[in-house]
Amino acid sequence: MRCLHKQVTRSPLLGSASSRRMEIMRIVSEAQELDQAAVDRSATVMDSNPPFFPTYKSLFSSRGSMNDEAELLAVECDLPLVDLGRLNGKLEAKQCKQDIITAATEWGFFQIVNHGVSNSLLARLRRQQVKMFRQPFKKKALDFSDDSYRWGTPTATSLKQLSWSEAYHIPLSSANKLARTSTSRCVIEEFSAAMAQLANQLVDTLAEGLGRDGTYIKENCTRNSCYLRLNHYPPCPLPGEVFGLVPHTDSDFLTILCQDTVCGLQLKKAGRWVTVKPNPNALIVNIGDLFQAWSNGLYKSVEHRVMSNPHLERFSVAYFVCPSIETLIHSSALPAIYRKFSFGEYRQQVQQDVRLTGHKVGLTRFLA
């Protein structure tokens, strides 16, 4: 902010009253400009956020806290940390793979460093992401040619079913349709390619831990079925009443998450919610429902959520390893916990449950 005060040297030849009057008028004018600039900045931020209150007015009229379910004072934890650089050494590679398998079995979540995705690429993606969410709300749906921009929870019938967030859901097959800028398109393309390579490396290791080959997953989880999700969680004035993202598990094989330094992500561990401590140097990996079924329950798809924040906004990017809808999911282990099902069947059941009950039921619908 520029300083409004300035030392004035008066000339004895000039009328003092006239000089003072001109100086006061200048200061008042400059102050008004600064005030208007502040108002404009505030309006820009307000115009960019979705209209949660007007849209979900009926839900807010019957407000109620999340009670014990929220556990706002959840214990903070460090996820298992795996250095993928160890995969390059013959002596350390075996232990590194075992660390990944153990984390997927015991936690369902883990962090990775030396993952091969450059910090400069992550920084460029974050800058483009912020620009996309900073534009006026009415323009966001124009960034893609389809319905990629989403916000809130259209099916919510209570506050605990509402997610105070907005996102761009970007199928990789349509990433080149990004309309806003060529810069955004290029960064998203580059990031997607890096994520695909990293995901294949993780899939191979996790499949090896089951005594299986990762080729089936990689052949069915291609650019035509995987997608990115750019997330933005605006400050929420009702943090104890509304989630940033409601509790859920991921309906995919694997998710790779890049988040900022604002706390919010929580997962369930031993029946309790714990807060994931942000690590700016790591990416987060979590097992999805399909990998849990494919591993016959060995790898865990863990329930997680994002808590809202009254003061700070939060950004994250998730890469989802999803198959084509006709891909069959089944375990080679016997006895099988889950029956054989297609991804299309699973997704349809999840959507039906959310529509009818307000929440996802998931794999329990597919027990053998």
Side-chain angles (χ1 to χ4, degrees), residues 104-174:
T105 302
E106 297 181 357
W107 282 79
F109 270 77
F110 55 94
Q111 302 175 95
I112 52 175
V113 293
N114 291 322
H115 39 66
V117 184
S118 70
N119 289 333
S120 62
L121 174 56
L122 296 175
R124 282 187 286 128
L125 177 65
R126 182 55 44 80
R127 286 195 296 269
Q128 292 303 316
Q129 180 182 10
V130 171
K131 286 181 181 179
M132 292 170 70
F133 285 113
R134 284 283 187 273
Q135 63 184 325
F137 171 71
K138 293 182 179 179
K139 292 184 178 181
K140 293 179 183 179
L142 304 177
D143 274 339
F144 288 82
S145 58
D146 52 20
D147 63 343
S148 292
Y149 176 69
R150 305 170 184 182
W151 63 278
T153 310
T155 58
T157 58
S158 65
L159 284 185
K160 68 180 182 179
Q161 296 173 3
L162 174 63
S163 292
W164 192 278
S165 56
E166 57 181 338
Y168 285 98
H169 180 105
I170 309 173
L172 301 190
S173 57
S174 64

Side-chain angles (χ1 to χ4, degrees), residues 63-105:
R63 289 165 56 183
S65 67
M66 291 183 252
N67 298 320
D68 294 338
E69 180 66 15
E71 293 186 32
L72 298 179
L73 299 178
V75 177
E76 195 174 64
C77 74
D78 289 304
L79 294 177
L81 182 65
V82 180
D83 182 354
L84 294 188
R86 295 159 60 205
L87 289 174
N88 298 322
K90 292 183 179 179
L91 296 179
E92 294 184 297
K94 184 176 180 180
Q95 185 58 51
C96 181
K97 291 179 179 180
Q98 185 57 53
D99 290 345
I100 292 173
I101 294 166
T102 300
T105 302

Side-chain angles (χ1 to χ4, degrees), residues 258-271:
C258 172
Q259 62 172 354
D260 62 16
T261 57
V262 178
C263 279
L265 177 63
Q266 294 185 343
L267 60 90
K268 250 186 180 174
K269 175 67 173 170

Side-chain angles (χ1 to χ4, degrees), residues 186-208:
C186 290
V187 172
I188 288 176
E189 289 276 359
E190 186 178 351
F191 179 77
S192 300
M195 287 292 104
Q197 184 175 351
L198 175 59
N200 284 342
Q201 185 179 36
L202 293 169
V203 164
D204 280 338
T205 298
L206 290 166
E208 184 180 327

